[in-house]
Amino acid sequence: GGFHSENELIFQERNCLFFELAKRSPDLICDVLDKGFHEGVLRALGPDFEGERLNCIGHGDPYCRYKILWTRPSGADST
């Protein structure tokens, strides 16, 4: 499932590839590996994007959910 608006995207994952490891070691798998992966995605998107993890399977939530925010103001010139 997901949600999006003009400058925000929220998406969730229910099929974590590292589910068993994340349940045992969320501090390593979720807070380091997964966080680093998503920070890399944001860097690849460019400086106008920010993101955060809203929910986490490894920390007891039923799914992982993320928010990506496009920080460029609406109507801003893309040049």
Side-chain angles (χ1 to χ4, degrees), residues 14-42:
R14 294 181 182 269
N15 56 344
C16 176
L17 296 174
F18 303 105
F19 178 72
E20 292 301 323
L21 291 171
K23 293 299 262 183
R24 288 195 304 257
S25 299
D27 54 330
L28 175 63
I29 302 303
C30 305
D31 299 344
V32 176
L33 179 68
D34 186 65
K35 181 180 178 188
F37 171 78
H38 285 93
E39 286 174 351
V41 169
L42 291 170

Side-chain angles (χ1 to χ4, degrees), residues 43-63:
R43 276 194 303 276
L45 288 172
D48 294 330
F49 292 88
E50 296 176 0
E52 69 178 299
R53 184 178 63 207
L54 304 173
N55 300 89
C56 177
I57 290 174
H59 288 287
D61 294 313
Y63 49 79

